[in-house]
């Protein structure tokens, strides 16, 4: 099993201690995982970060890869720390006061703007607002295509995030976007539970990976300190 999106107490909203994460992934038989804590800019300000030096020392203590979920809303500037083995880009800001089609478009335009300006390995939860708000992503296929083409051309991975299953009954992104990615030539994905508590680690992973078997995907993981792709068993 794979779970490349986990949060620990290094994150402002994480409730899982490192000492709780490790036995849980071992219990579940998760072979590849990464703790990707929040480092986030909004409105030109650093709003969520963590002690990177302490985090690095902790990962080295347990011989774990160093990961982060970086986020920026595209306002002002964002400077992220160096030295991570794996960077998820997760855009979280959206305007819930907009009509559903405009909400999705605003979010996608923001996502594309940021993607073109920061270093990252994987794009997380592409249709994230669908978890919490009425957002019409199908009305914005043109922008979704631009984002997916960018990933393919620049050899970045698309994350399928299983947390959406427990918010609105679908992963993020929805399966139709995953199929669109495949049709555009995307062959590298990864998968993550977005767990903020130990008991949520691996949640929904097997179900979603079963659905993804119809596609010839390879999964991006960190092996030691090196990014590699693996085929699902």
């Amino acid at each position: 099993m794979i779970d490349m999106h986990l949060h620990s107490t290094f994150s402002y909203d994480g409730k899982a201690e490192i000492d709780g994460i490790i036995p849980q992934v071992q219990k579940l038989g998760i072979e590849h995982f990464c703790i990707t804590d929040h480092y986030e800019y909004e409105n030109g300000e650093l709003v969520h970060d963590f002690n990177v030096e302490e985090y690095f020392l902790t990962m080295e203590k347990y011989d774990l890869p160093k990961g982060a979920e970086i986020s920026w809303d595209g306002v002002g500037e964002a400077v992220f720390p160096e030295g991570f083995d794996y960077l998820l880009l997760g855009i979280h800001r959206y305007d819930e006061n907009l009509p559903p089609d405009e909400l999705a478009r605003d979010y996608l335009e923001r996502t594309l703007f940021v993607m073109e300006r920061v270093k990252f390995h994987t794009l997380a939860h592409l249709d994230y607002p669908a978890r919490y708000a009425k957002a019409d992503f199908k009305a914005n296929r043109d922008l979704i295509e631009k984002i997916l083409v960018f990933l393919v051309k620049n050899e970045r991975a698309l994350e399928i995030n299983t947390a959406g299953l427990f918010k609105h009954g679908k992963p993020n992104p929805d399966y139709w976007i995953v199929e669109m990615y495949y049709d555009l030539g995307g062959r590298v994905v990864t998968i993550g539970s977005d767990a903020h508590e130990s008991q949520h680690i691996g949640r929904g992973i097997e179900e979603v990976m079963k659905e993804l078997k119809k596609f010839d995907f390879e999964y991006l993981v960190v092996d030691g300190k090196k990014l590699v792709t693996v085929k699902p068993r």
Side-chain angles (χ1 to χ4, degrees):
M1 196 189 296
I2 298 165
D3 195 340
M4 293 295 291
H5 191 155
L6 302 175
H7 294 281
S8 74
T9 49
F10 279 98
S11 282
Y12 75 99
D13 58 351
K15 298 178 182 177
E17 298 284 351
I18 304 297
D19 287 342
I21 292 174
I22 294 172
Q24 184 70 357
V25 299
Q26 292 173 340
K27 176 184 175 183
L28 295 171
I30 296 173
E31 298 174 77
H32 302 284
F33 70 98
C34 194
I35 298 167
T36 52
D37 285 307
H38 290 291
Y39 207 99
E40 187 161 356
Y41 286 85
E42 189 172 304
N43 287 324
E45 300 289 336
L46 180 60
V47 293
H48 301 303
D49 65 344
F50 56 93
N51 187 325
V52 174
E53 183 178 358
E54 184 182 346
Y55 169 85
F56 281 179
L57 289 172
T58 305
M59 295 304 104
E60 288 166 6
K61 174 184 175 182
Y62 292 103
D63 195 26
L64 297 176
K66 304 176 183 75
E69 181 182 8
I70 60 172
S71 187
W72 176 38
D73 61 1
V75 177
E77 295 183 352
V79 179
F80 297 104
E82 299 288 334
F84 290 98
D85 302 308
Y86 181 63
L87 290 174
L88 275 172
L89 175 61
I91 307 301
H92 298 117
R93 185 172 179 179
Y94 61 92
D95 187 347
E96 61 185 7
N97 295 312
L98 292 174
D101 58 335
E102 293 180 26
L103 186 158
R105 191 160 196 85
D106 177 73
Y107 177 83
L108 294 168
E109 287 174 343
R110 190 186 307 277
T111 298
L112 187 58
F113 178 87
V114 173
M115 286 171 60
E116 294 172 340
R117 288 163 175 80
V118 302
K119 174 186 174 183
F120 70 100
H121 301 110
T122 299
L123 180 63
H125 47 57
L126 175 53
D127 59 357
Y128 174 80
R131 287 188 194 176
Y132 307 106
K134 291 182 178 180
D136 188 353
F137 282 92
K138 287 187 176 180
N140 291 280
R141 288 176 179 267
D142 58 327
L143 266 177
I144 292 173
E145 181 172 336
K146 286 181 181 179
I147 289 169
L148 299 179
V149 167
F150 179 94
L151 294 178
V152 174
K153 286 186 175 179
N154 292 277
E155 298 182 334
R156 313 287 171 85
L158 177 69
E159 180 202 62
I160 294 89
N161 188 301
T162 63
L165 290 172
F166 308 97
K167 299 289 187 180
H168 69 125
K170 301 173 184 178
N172 300 112
D174 200 344
Y175 290 118
W176 68 267
I177 297 177
V178 177
E179 183 173 0
M180 192 174 176
Y181 174 67
Y182 185 83
D183 290 343
L184 289 166
R187 294 296 181 270
V188 179
V189 298
T190 197
I191 192 163
S193 65
D194 208 347
H196 287 65
E197 302 178 41
S198 294
Q199 63 265 34
H200 293 161
I201 293 171
R203 193 168 62 153
I205 299 286
E206 289 184 339
E207 175 186 340
V208 171
M209 288 188 74
K210 185 177 180 181
E211 285 291 324
L212 296 178
K213 282 185 177 180
K214 66 183 75 170
F215 305 107
D216 187 28
F217 284 137
E218 294 187 359
Y219 287 76
L220 184 68
V221 300
V222 185
D223 187 3
K225 307 296 180 184
K226 185 178 179 183
L227 287 170
V228 300
T229 57
V230 298
K231 283 279 193 179
R233 294 180 180 179

